[in-house]
Amino acid sequence: MKNDNIFAAIRAAFPASADAVAIESGDNGATYSWHDIDTITAQFANLLTSLKLPAGSRVAVQTEKSVEALLLYLAVLRAGYVYLPLNNAYQAGEIAYFIENAEPAVFVCTSKTRSWIEPIAIRCKVAHCFTLDDGSGTLLDAARSHSTEHVVAQKSAQDLAAILYTSGTTGRSKGAMLSHSNLLSNARTLLDYWGWSASDVLIHALPIFHVHGLFVASHCALLAGAKMIWFAKFEPQAVVNRLPDATVFMGVPTLYVRLLAEASLTKAQCRNMRLFIAGSAPLLIETFNAFRERTGHTILERYGMSETVMLTSNPYRAEDGERRGGTVGFALPGVGVRVRNDAAAECAIDEIGGIEVTGPNVFSGYWQMPEKTKEEFTSDGWFKTGDVGKRDARGYFTIVGRSKDLIISGGYNVYPAEIEGYINDLPGVAESAVIGVPHPDFGEAVVAVVVAKAGNAVDADAMIASIKANIANFKVPKRLFVVSELPRNAMGKVQKNVLREEHKSLFAESSKRVAQR
Ligand code: MCA
Ligand code: AMP
């Protein structure tokens, strides 16, 4: 019987030489063969199966990046459960929300975070809590006694493989439900479109709690039977040092800005590379041009979302066209992308409108939020991305903005309403507005503008420190201004465009130094 479990496809793609290196740690040189991937994921999967979890159970994971953490992801698929990755910057309030919403049966954290996560997990009736550190932890201890043989769980195409929390176009975080076929269809498309083969070597330096590092990068390498050089954290010099051993690199724009700041990034160092891919946020044309000049390589920019995995890509093969900086390329094969105006009519060439998408990669909905799901699909079933863009006569798409109130900082999404909520709850605060302004390193930086209650004095630094204690560090405003009132239009709505204009040069003086991180 056909098994649509994406892990079955990944396993079938393992090279015949099982002892060949599949993953090499760029940090300490440790290596993992394809055989190791098979046996360790089998042990993890057998451990999960032994817990007798209900079908469809969620396994929530907030750990540091390690090879074992990737193998845990693969094992959750292998055992037929649903993987729920969480950014390791999230703090107690954020984690409590995800646990309450997703009701995972298992939570895997680190030995450092266990003291505050386990009480939340217990309160929320999570049945099992494990730790996983780099090469140690209770999960590895428990898995060791399990068999290294495991029959991949039978799954149908529409069965849930993962839930990725994202705020969609508005409001609180929603769990985007991705099926085995959403993930596999997209990975197969990318494999072909980007010309992957078993002789590729990928430098993997992205976090593995989002689509980019977890799905796009890992799936392509695994399904190609290609080796990965695995870095727990992105260190530009370490990546440049390993470029001669690699053929493919993927990064958010900030990674390219930081690579360019290394004088050792040269054409010679990139001599064996065949492809540099960028996405998750807009790649500035200055970065695109500077990278081509320095390395001789033209970055391929692509566009996607948590709800859809990848949607468009600049061409890889010259016969399909040139890679055009400032654009996100063509709709991927099998993916429908259209631009519609406010009257819901298809836009003309070069006319700006809302981007809507359809295809086998598009998620089925938000976890237990049927109403929210309905709001974000059109009546004819296309998903409204909340991105604003246009298509040119040759079919290249350009993203020109967002209708959703979203800041993308260093490839991480920050929702102003969430941060405003925290600030407004601080003592002495009447109201606030959170905006994104250009930043030379992160692309956009979070900035807050705050009005104090009458008769209260509020201190910007103290407020930043207080916010920092409660939410993921990348969401914390880099600067906070206290003002007497917020600009409003005739309808009384806060004019964030006025604030963005006022603060647009805040980080400009640091553009040469890439400072103020
Ligand atoms: C770190 N900091 C940040 C960010 N990252 N500030 C704003 N935005 C950020 N993204 C701050 C921390 O708060 C901290 O400040 C200081 O920088 C150092 O933290 P550290 O963790 O050491 O930073 P880093 O290692 O230099 O990280 C920067 C980074 C990282 C490597 C650019 O943010 C990163 O890996 N970004 C990639 C995100 C990604 O993979 N996105 C894909 C999403 P302080 O000291 O004041 O506390 S998937 C997606 O979007 C879609 C589907 C798609 O199309 O791919
Ligand atoms: P996420 O919710 O993390 O999946 O982020 C998805 C959003 O990232 C998209 O809706 C876009 O706004 C943005 N994005 C991803 N890739 C690109 C890109 N190449 N250029 C501009 N924006 C992008």
Side-chain angles (χ1 to χ4, degrees), residues 207-333:
I208 53 167
F209 37 70
H210 285 307
V211 159
H212 200 158
L214 185 64
F215 300 151
V216 185
S218 307
H219 288 171
C220 282
L222 291 165
L223 283 165
K227 177 179 152 178
M228 289 191 258
I229 301 177
W230 192 258
F231 287 101
K233 235 177 117 56
F234 172 71
E235 301 287 356
Q237 185 60 63
V239 167
V240 174
N241 289 346
R242 294 307 302 269
L243 285 174
D245 306 318
T247 63
V248 184
F249 177 79
M250 292 188 198
V252 301
T254 300
L255 270 52
Y256 286 98
V257 170
R258 293 189 183 182
L259 284 174
L260 279 165
E262 297 297 323
S264 56
L265 178 77
T266 58
K267 285 196 174 76
Q269 204 65 7
C270 298
R271 62 192 175 276
N272 296 323
M273 291 292 293
R274 71 169 181 89
L275 184 57
F276 287 92
I277 300 173
S280 307
L283 180 75
L284 292 182
I285 192 75
E286 292 80 4
T287 312
F288 175 87
N289 288 335
F291 201 84
R292 178 147 66 184
E293 181 135 320
R294 180 86 73 80
T295 66
H297 284 272
T298 306
I299 297 174
L300 178 155
E301 184 172 1
R302 84 332 174 253
Y303 155 63
M305 293 182 76
S306 299
E307 290 93 333
T308 64
V309 206
M310 294 299 101
L311 293 164
T312 73
S313 171
N314 268 279
Y316 170 63
R317 297 175 181 89
E319 62 266 31
D320 292 334
E322 55 169 339
R323 290 178 212 158
R324 300 188 62 204
T327 82
V328 292
F330 305 123
L332 281 165

